[in-house]
Amino acid sequence: VQLQASGGGLVQAGGSLSLSCAFSGGTFTSYAMAWFRQAPNKAREFVSDCNWSGHTTHYADSVKGRFTIVRDNAKNMVYLQMDSLKPEDTAVYYCAAGNFSAYGYWGQGTQVTVSS
C-alpha cells in the first residue's frame, strides 16, 4: 500500500485548505482511512478517520465542526476539508490506512501552516 498526501500550504487564520490522499497498491475499500498531524516538538495526534464506506467518521475534539473527512472509493482518494483554520492547526498532516484500532500504512506528510 502506498499513500501520497498533497494539498498543504500557507493560509491565514480563518481560511480553508483541502488535503488529498491518493491510495494505491491495495484494495481501498478494505481499509479505514485516517488523518493525523504532528506539530513541531509535539507528538503525532489523531485528527479524523472514516470507515470503508465513509459513513462512519470520527474527529478529534480540537477539529470537530471545522474539519470534514470524505473518501471517494471510485477514485481511491480520501480528503480532509479544513475550514476556520487556526494557528494551532499548523502541523505536518499525514494520511494513513488501516482500521480503527491501528493504522499500519502511512503517507509522507504535507505541511499546513496557518498564520495569525
Side-chain angles (χ1 to χ4, degrees), residues 4 9 11 14 17 29 42 44 53 55 60 63-64 79 88 91 96 101 104 107 112 115:
Q4 181 73 39
V11 64
L17 274 177
T29 51
K42 292 188 176 181
R44 185 172 59 196
S53 68
H55 292 159
V63 307
K64 203 170 292 182
Y79 307 95
E88 50 264 43
S101 297
V112 172
S115 63

Side-chain angles (χ1 to χ4, degrees), residues 59-76:
Y59 296 93
D61 287 343
S62 59
V63 307
K64 203 170 292 182
R66 301 187 298 120
F67 290 12
T68 304
I69 189 170
V70 175
R71 66 188 291 161
D72 184 337
N73 288 341
K75 296 181 178 179
N76 285 6

Side-chain angles (χ1 to χ4, degrees), residues 3-28:
L3 302 170
Q4 181 73 39
S6 61
L10 173 64
V11 64
Q12 287 189 330
S16 298
L17 274 177
S18 182
L19 305 183
S20 301
C21 178
F23 173 102
S24 62
T27 302
F28 187 51

Side-chain angles (χ1 to χ4, degrees), residues 1 23 26-33 50-52 71 97-99 105:
V1 170
F23 173 102
T27 302
F28 187 51
T29 51
S30 294
Y31 298 93
M33 297 297 297
C50 66
N51 72 334
W52 71 272
R71 66 188 291 161
N99 58 61
Y105 299 101

